[in-house]
Amino acid sequence: MTQAMRQRAAALVAILVLLAAACGSADNADSAGLTVVVTTNILGDVVQNLVGDDVEVVVIMPVGSDPHDFQASAQQVAQIGEAGALIVNGAGFEEGLLDVIESAEEDGVPTFEAISAVSTLEFGDHDDEDHDDEDHDDEDHDDEDHDDEDHDEHEHKHEHEGVDPHFFTDPLRIADAAAAISDFLGETVTGIDDAALTANTEAYLAELRALDVEISEEMAALPRDRRILVTNHEVYGYFADRYGFEIVGTVIPSGTTVDTASAQALAALAQVVEDEQVPAIFADTSSSHELAQTLADEVGSIAVVELFSESLGPSDSAGATYVQMIRTNATRIIDALTS
């Protein structure tokens, strides 16, 4: 081979390498555009129902994790930073990911807070409301005033203030969030199938609304004076708001499991449980319920019932999907309060 031929061959190889690199970059760009990263597994299930199999959904928090103390791995931090779109709960729910989420937003990752699409509650809102089911659909709870003095009789005050991030315990609020997430993805994710996204969204919203009707009908058999909840921490405000429950106390008087309860607070709650004749304490499957069990042992003759509150359950459990989770929780609450 002559020198000229060798030079032409080398040039051809260089061109092929550049073309391969360019194609690879394009493929990576398309892949990144069709990747949606979601912080919680609850919202991960919602997003998967919206996008189907055409978009890769990466869920950061595995099943069974406690969102309040979850810490991302280096690989997960990288996934968040390289996402085509990022869906988060918002309102400080992902306590251990706040810096990571903020950094991703600053770096230009399109980010949507699901809670921004719903009517929010402040911590403690549910304690002072007139629980009329007919008023729940159209109420805006953002501007309500709630006086802490109303809680003095129980000596079990809220230690957490601000917006309650646990909107997902209400399927109608999840429906509102799902519709907004769908709009966001349609506008943001490159190459998404708009027709499929629309069809999937309509079907999923119909399923969520049917679930709400189903639960409301089941709740109709539960007398108003039995709709009293004691929970492990402040996680069921939106459920109480939707279905006309009163939350008379929480084992951990806070919206996060990172906090704890004093012996004095537990003693005060034990008295509330006895006075209200509460038949069950509702604990979380995703966090320790040792304090709830301690309270139950103190009171005696009271059950500790686990609910899927801040995480889905394993694939073979009764809380494997969001719809299953809410349906199972409602059934367990009704059964516990009517036994």
Side-chain angles (χ1 to χ4, degrees), residues 123 158-160 232-235 250 252-257 259:
F123 279 111
H158 299 277
E159 295 177 359
H160 219 193
N232 191 51
H233 74 293
E234 296 184 26
V235 65
T250 56
I252 300 174
S254 173
T256 172
T257 55
D259 292 336

Side-chain angles (χ1 to χ4, degrees), residues 64-219:
S65 59
D66 184 343
H68 297 293
D69 62 9
F70 178 84
Q71 297 290 327
S73 67
Q75 180 183 6
Q76 290 172 323
V77 171
Q79 288 175 319
I80 292 173
E82 296 169 0
L86 175 62
I87 308 296
V88 305
N89 188 93
F93 184 63
E94 298 96 337
E95 295 180 58
L97 294 178
L98 296 182
D99 290 343
V100 178
I101 293 169
E102 181 179 359
S103 178
E105 288 185 277
E106 291 175 350
D107 289 342
V109 176
T111 303
F112 185 79
E113 287 194 353
I115 199 169
S116 68
V118 308
S119 173
T120 57
L121 298 174
E122 298 285 318
F123 279 111
D125 276 3
H126 49 77
D127 293 325
D128 300 323
E129 292 178 7
D130 179 11
H131 297 287
D132 185 348
D133 288 339
E134 295 180 358
D135 294 337
H136 293 303
D137 291 337
D138 301 319
E139 289 182 1
D140 183 354
H141 303 280
D142 292 333
D143 299 326
E144 296 179 6
D145 294 326
H146 299 280
D147 192 341
D148 287 340
E149 293 179 1
D150 292 340
H151 302 280
D152 287 346
E153 63 180 314
H154 291 164
E155 298 181 12
H156 194 66
K157 298 179 181 179
H158 299 277
E159 295 177 359
H160 219 193
E161 298 177 350
V163 174
D164 183 345
H166 306 96
F167 74 93
F168 45 81
T169 59
D170 174 3
L172 286 189
R173 283 180 167 93
I174 274 284
D176 290 340
I181 291 170
S182 178
D183 290 341
F184 169 77
L185 294 177
E187 297 168 357
T188 304
V189 179
T190 303
I192 198 166
D193 185 332
D194 290 330
L197 178 64
T198 298
N200 291 341
T201 300
E202 291 176 352
Y204 192 55
L205 295 182
E207 184 177 10
L208 291 172
R209 289 164 183 154
L211 173 65
D212 173 68
V213 171
E214 174 189 330
I215 294 174
S216 297
E217 290 175 348
E218 292 177 356
M219 290 294 178

Side-chain angles (χ1 to χ4, degrees), residues 25-38 47-48 50-59 79 82-87 109-110 184-197:
S25 297
D27 289 343
N28 290 337
D30 290 343
S31 176
L34 289 173
T35 299
V36 178
V37 176
V38 189
V47 172
Q48 192 69 72
L50 300 178
V51 302
D53 298 327
D54 294 333
V55 176
E56 181 184 6
V57 178
V58 176
V59 179
Q79 288 175 319
E82 296 169 0
L86 175 62
I87 308 296
V109 176
F184 169 77
L185 294 177
E187 297 168 357
T188 304
V189 179
T190 303
I192 198 166
D193 185 332
D194 290 330
L197 178 64

